[in-house]
């Protein structure tokens, strides 16, 4: 017997899509997931809140073949012991609402499987990283890490825009940039909002282009690379540093569960990158991590300060609260600078 893609067994032995989505329906991602399951006839396993251990229990016993969450949930699943669970019944992982580190996506691919035949799980699962927002009617672009019978493929996975929507990149003056040049992402199409109620001038421009405030660059054939959010950009000695890109590089370290890159004031450089790290174990080697960062991250983008924390601050939607993370870093640095006994 060969299991159909993304299918989980019903009680009567037949199968259909089964999706575990511990997301609030007030969030566009949670609502979109619910609507997709309703329109496709899939089974939705919904939870009021997210509990990593409970989610792993559901996935391990075959209660769902697709998991939908935000990047911080995936970090929590790993912290709760995903490596010690049999998650081979998961055929697709879906993430949205924030940038997913590629190495984490590939780790989850390896934990799932492409299909099952004769009682054996084969290959790696699909991982789908979704970019979107309410103003774009949900998803606008997706990055797909394809399944493979040989395991996760160590190849770049650029995103591509969905049908019915255009994307371009502009500079700070609103001028369109050529392919490969970083700038602000703008979208246009029938799925883009027309205006905000009570504030019609804050929506798309006269030509229909909506400015997202997010940063990226385009490639051939509608491909795009997401770099981060404009409000998250650091200016280090005149160079732009996008925390999401640095975090993706640092998260590849095997002992890092989560990492947040923030800016700290510097009289000479304006600001400098600093990293809050949630380690996987108590024996985290900061010196080895520094050496890893030196090898993987360009000098001006490399964190000057590293502090270990038990968890990263998050907003109500589960995303990293970068403003709060910056405050945590400032407090830790101030504490370290205070003389003992003062």
């Amino acid at each position: 017997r060969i299991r159909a893609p993304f299918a989980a067994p019903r009680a009567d032995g037949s199968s259909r899509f089964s999706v575990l989505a511990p997301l609030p329906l007030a969030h566009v991602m949670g609502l979109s997931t619910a609507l997709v399951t309703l329109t496709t006839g899939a089974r939705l396993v919904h939870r009021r809140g997210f509990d990593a251990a409970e989610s792993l229990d559901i996935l391990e016993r075959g209660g769902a073949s697709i998991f939908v969450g935000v990047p911080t949930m995936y970090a929590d699943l790993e912290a709760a012991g995903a490596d010690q669970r049999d998650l081979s019944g998961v055929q697709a992982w879906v993430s949205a609402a924030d940038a997913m580190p590629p190495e984490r996506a590939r780790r989850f691919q390896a934990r799932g499987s492409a299909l099952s035949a004769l009682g054996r799980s084969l290959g790696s699962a699909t991982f789908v990283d979704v970019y979107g927002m309410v103003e774009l009617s949900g998803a606008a672009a997706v990055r797909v890490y394809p399944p493979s019978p040989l395991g996760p493929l160590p190849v770049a996975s650029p995103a591509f825009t969905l049908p019915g929507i255009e994307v371009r990149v502009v500079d700070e003056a609103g001028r369109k940039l050529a392919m490969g040049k970083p700038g602000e992402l703008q979208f246009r199409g029938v799925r883009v909002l027309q205006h905000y109620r009570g504030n019609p001038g804050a929506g798309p421009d006269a030509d229909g282009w909506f400015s997202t405030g997010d940063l990226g660059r385009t490639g051939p054939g509608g491909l795009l690379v997401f770099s981060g959010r404009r409000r998250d950009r650091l200016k280090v000695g005149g160079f732009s540093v996008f925390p999401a890109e640095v975090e993706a590089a640092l998260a590849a370290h095997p002992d890092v569960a989560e990492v947040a890159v923030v800016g700290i004031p510097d009289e000479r450089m304006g600001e400098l990158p600093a990293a809050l790290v949630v380690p996987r174990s108590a024996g985290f080697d900061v010196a080895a991590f520094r050496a890893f960062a030196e090898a993987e991250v360009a000098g001006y983008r490399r964190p000057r300060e590293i502090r270990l924390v038990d968890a990263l601050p998050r907003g109500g939607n589960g995303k990293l609260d970068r403003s709060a993370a910056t405050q945590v870093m400032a407090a830790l640095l101030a504490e370290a600078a205070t003389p003992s006994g003062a």
Side-chain angles (χ1 to χ4, degrees), residues 228-241:
R229 305 191 185 283
R230 180 178 292 277
R231 61 181 176 274
D232 293 340
R233 179 172 57 175
L234 310 181
K235 293 295 283 188
V236 181
F239 291 95
S240 293
V241 174

PDB file of all heavy atoms in Angstrom, residues 228-241:
ATOM      1  N   GLY A 228      14.542  40.823   4.909  1.00  0.00           N
ATOM      2  CA  GLY A 228      14.161  41.251   6.250  1.00  0.00           C
ATOM      3  C   GLY A 228      13.185  42.404   6.174  1.00  0.00           C
ATOM      4  O   GLY A 228      12.656  42.722   5.116  1.00  0.00           O
ATOM      5  N   ARG A 229      12.951  43.050   7.303  1.00  0.00           N
ATOM      6  CA  ARG A 229      12.015  44.162   7.358  1.00  0.00           C
ATOM      7  C   ARG A 229      12.788  45.474   7.473  1.00  0.00           C
ATOM      8  O   ARG A 229      13.773  45.562   8.178  1.00  0.00           O
ATOM      9  CB  ARG A 229      11.056  43.984   8.532  1.00  0.00           C
ATOM     10  CG  ARG A 229      10.355  42.625   8.452  1.00  0.00           C
ATOM     11  CD  ARG A 229       9.214  42.497   9.426  1.00  0.00           C
ATOM     12  NE  ARG A 229       8.668  41.139   9.371  1.00  0.00           N
ATOM     13  CZ  ARG A 229       7.876  40.687   8.429  1.00  0.00           C
ATOM     14  NH1 ARG A 229       7.500  41.483   7.461  1.00  0.00           N
ATOM     15  NH2 ARG A 229       7.436  39.449   8.444  1.00  0.00           N
ATOM     16  N   ARG A 230      12.293  46.512   6.773  1.00  0.00           N
ATOM     17  CA  ARG A 230      13.007  47.781   6.736  1.00  0.00           C
ATOM     18  C   ARG A 230      13.249  48.314   8.148  1.00  0.00           C
ATOM     19  O   ARG A 230      14.321  48.829   8.467  1.00  0.00           O
ATOM     20  CB  ARG A 230      12.207  48.805   5.914  1.00  0.00           C
ATOM     21  CG  ARG A 230      12.889  50.161   5.833  1.00  0.00           C
ATOM     22  CD  ARG A 230      12.100  51.127   4.972  1.00  0.00           C
ATOM     23  NE  ARG A 230      12.096  50.737   3.577  1.00  0.00           N
ATOM     24  CZ  ARG A 230      13.069  51.021   2.724  1.00  0.00           C
ATOM     25  NH1 ARG A 230      14.144  51.666   3.135  1.00  0.00           N
ATOM     26  NH2 ARG A 230      12.993  50.661   1.474  1.00  0.00           N
ATOM     27  N   ARG A 231      12.261  48.171   9.022  1.00  0.00           N
ATOM     28  CA  ARG A 231      12.438  48.702  10.378  1.00  0.00           C
ATOM     29  C   ARG A 231      13.472  47.901  11.169  1.00  0.00           C
ATOM     30  O   ARG A 231      13.914  48.332  12.220  1.00  0.00           O
ATOM     31  CB  ARG A 231      11.100  48.704  11.115  1.00  0.00           C
ATOM     32  CG  ARG A 231      10.476  47.332  11.278  1.00  0.00           C
ATOM     33  CD  ARG A 231       9.147  47.435  12.006  1.00  0.00           C
ATOM     34  NE  ARG A 231       8.466  46.161  12.095  1.00  0.00           N
ATOM     35  CZ  ARG A 231       7.675  45.662  11.186  1.00  0.00           C
ATOM     36  NH1 ARG A 231       7.483  46.339  10.064  1.00  0.00           N
ATOM     37  NH2 ARG A 231       7.073  44.504  11.341  1.00  0.00           N
ATOM     38  N   ASP A 232      13.852  46.713  10.663  1.00  0.00           N
ATOM     39  CA  ASP A 232      14.850  45.905  11.347  1.00  0.00           C
ATOM     40  C   ASP A 232      16.257  46.166  10.839  1.00  0.00           C
ATOM     41  O   ASP A 232      17.216  45.633  11.375  1.00  0.00           O
ATOM     42  CB  ASP A 232      14.546  44.403  11.155  1.00  0.00           C
ATOM     43  CG  ASP A 232      13.264  43.986  11.865  1.00  0.00           C
ATOM     44  OD1 ASP A 232      12.846  44.718  12.772  1.00  0.00           O
ATOM     45  OD2 ASP A 232      12.711  42.945  11.507  1.00  0.00           O
ATOM     46  N   ARG A 233      16.388  46.946   9.801  1.00  0.00           N
ATOM     47  CA  ARG A 233      17.699  47.149   9.189  1.00  0.00           C
ATOM     48  C   ARG A 233      18.616  47.928  10.124  1.00  0.00           C
ATOM     49  O   ARG A 233      18.227  48.931  10.717  1.00  0.00           O
ATOM     50  CB  ARG A 233      17.558  47.891   7.863  1.00  0.00           C
ATOM     51  CG  ARG A 233      18.885  48.148   7.177  1.00  0.00           C
ATOM     52  CD  ARG A 233      18.710  48.715   5.794  1.00  0.00           C
ATOM     53  NE  ARG A 233      17.940  49.950   5.800  1.00  0.00           N
ATOM     54  CZ  ARG A 233      17.735  50.682   4.708  1.00  0.00           C
ATOM     55  NH1 ARG A 233      18.199  50.267   3.550  1.00  0.00           N
ATOM     56  NH2 ARG A 233      17.024  51.789   4.781  1.00  0.00           N
ATOM     57  N   LEU A 234      19.848  47.445  10.255  1.00  0.00           N
ATOM     58  CA  LEU A 234      20.856  48.140  11.042  1.00  0.00           C
ATOM     59  C   LEU A 234      21.776  48.898  10.091  1.00  0.00           C
ATOM     60  O   LEU A 234      22.003  48.466   8.962  1.00  0.00           O
ATOM     61  CB  LEU A 234      21.680  47.146  11.868  1.00  0.00           C
ATOM     62  CG  LEU A 234      20.911  46.120  12.718  1.00  0.00           C
ATOM     63  CD1 LEU A 234      21.892  45.235  13.482  1.00  0.00           C
ATOM     64  CD2 LEU A 234      19.952  46.808  13.664  1.00  0.00           C
ATOM     65  N   LYS A 235      22.304  50.015  10.557  1.00  0.00           N
ATOM     66  CA  LYS A 235      23.289  50.776   9.785  1.00  0.00           C
ATOM     67  C   LYS A 235      24.602  50.717  10.551  1.00  0.00           C
ATOM     68  O   LYS A 235      24.755  51.315  11.620  1.00  0.00           O
ATOM     69  CB  LYS A 235      22.839  52.229   9.598  1.00  0.00           C
ATOM     70  CG  LYS A 235      21.602  52.371   8.718  1.00  0.00           C
ATOM     71  CD  LYS A 235      21.865  51.930   7.272  1.00  0.00           C
ATOM     72  CE  LYS A 235      22.629  52.967   6.520  1.00  0.00           C
ATOM     73  NZ  LYS A 235      22.730  52.644   5.071  1.00  0.00           N
ATOM     74  N   VAL A 236      25.552  49.972  10.019  1.00  0.00           N
ATOM     75  CA  VAL A 236      26.837  49.739  10.675  1.00  0.00           C
ATOM     76  C   VAL A 236      27.931  50.418   9.847  1.00  0.00           C
ATOM     77  O   VAL A 236      28.301  49.928   8.782  1.00  0.00           O
ATOM     78  CB  VAL A 236      27.117  48.230  10.812  1.00  0.00           C
ATOM     79  CG1 VAL A 236      28.453  47.996  11.516  1.00  0.00           C
ATOM     80  CG2 VAL A 236      25.990  47.545  11.568  1.00  0.00           C
ATOM     81  N   GLY A 237      28.394  51.561  10.314  1.00  0.00           N
ATOM     82  CA  GLY A 237      29.429  52.277   9.586  1.00  0.00           C
ATOM     83  C   GLY A 237      29.025  52.620   8.172  1.00  0.00           C
ATOM     84  O   GLY A 237      29.860  52.639   7.261  1.00  0.00           O
ATOM     85  N   GLY A 238      27.739  52.881   7.962  1.00  0.00           N
ATOM     86  CA  GLY A 238      27.250  53.216   6.632  1.00  0.00           C
ATOM     87  C   GLY A 238      26.785  52.032   5.818  1.00  0.00           C
ATOM     88  O   GLY A 238      26.173  52.191   4.772  1.00  0.00           O
ATOM     89  N   PHE A 239      27.049  50.805   6.305  1.00  0.00           N
ATOM     90  CA  PHE A 239      26.599  49.595   5.613  1.00  0.00           C
ATOM     91  C   PHE A 239      25.268  49.122   6.192  1.00  0.00           C
ATOM     92  O   PHE A 239      25.052  49.185   7.406  1.00  0.00           O
ATOM     93  CB  PHE A 239      27.638  48.474   5.753  1.00  0.00           C
ATOM     94  CG  PHE A 239      28.915  48.711   5.011  1.00  0.00           C
ATOM     95  CD1 PHE A 239      30.011  49.278   5.657  1.00  0.00           C
ATOM     96  CD2 PHE A 239      29.026  48.383   3.676  1.00  0.00           C
ATOM     97  CE1 PHE A 239      31.192  49.501   4.981  1.00  0.00           C
ATOM     98  CE2 PHE A 239      30.212  48.608   2.987  1.00  0.00           C
ATOM     99  CZ  PHE A 239      31.295  49.176   3.635  1.00  0.00           C
ATOM    100  N   SER A 240      24.387  48.633   5.332  1.00  0.00           N
ATOM    101  CA  SER A 240      23.115  48.075   5.784  1.00  0.00           C
ATOM    102  C   SER A 240      23.304  46.619   6.198  1.00  0.00           C
ATOM    103  O   SER A 240      23.922  45.835   5.462  1.00  0.00           O
ATOM    104  CB  SER A 240      22.065  48.152   4.669  1.00  0.00           C
ATOM    105  OG  SER A 240      21.723  49.489   4.387  1.00  0.00           O
ATOM    106  N   VAL A 241      22.784  46.292   7.356  1.00  0.00           N
ATOM    107  CA  VAL A 241      22.821  44.918   7.852  1.00  0.00           C
ATOM    108  C   VAL A 241      21.386  44.490   8.118  1.00  0.00           C
ATOM    109  O   VAL A 241      20.660  45.149   8.871  1.00  0.00           O
ATOM    110  CB  VAL A 241      23.662  44.799   9.140  1.00  0.00           C
ATOM    111  CG1 VAL A 241      23.566  43.383   9.717  1.00  0.00           C
ATOM    112  CG2 VAL A 241      25.114  45.149   8.861  1.00  0.00           C
TER     113      VAL A 241
END
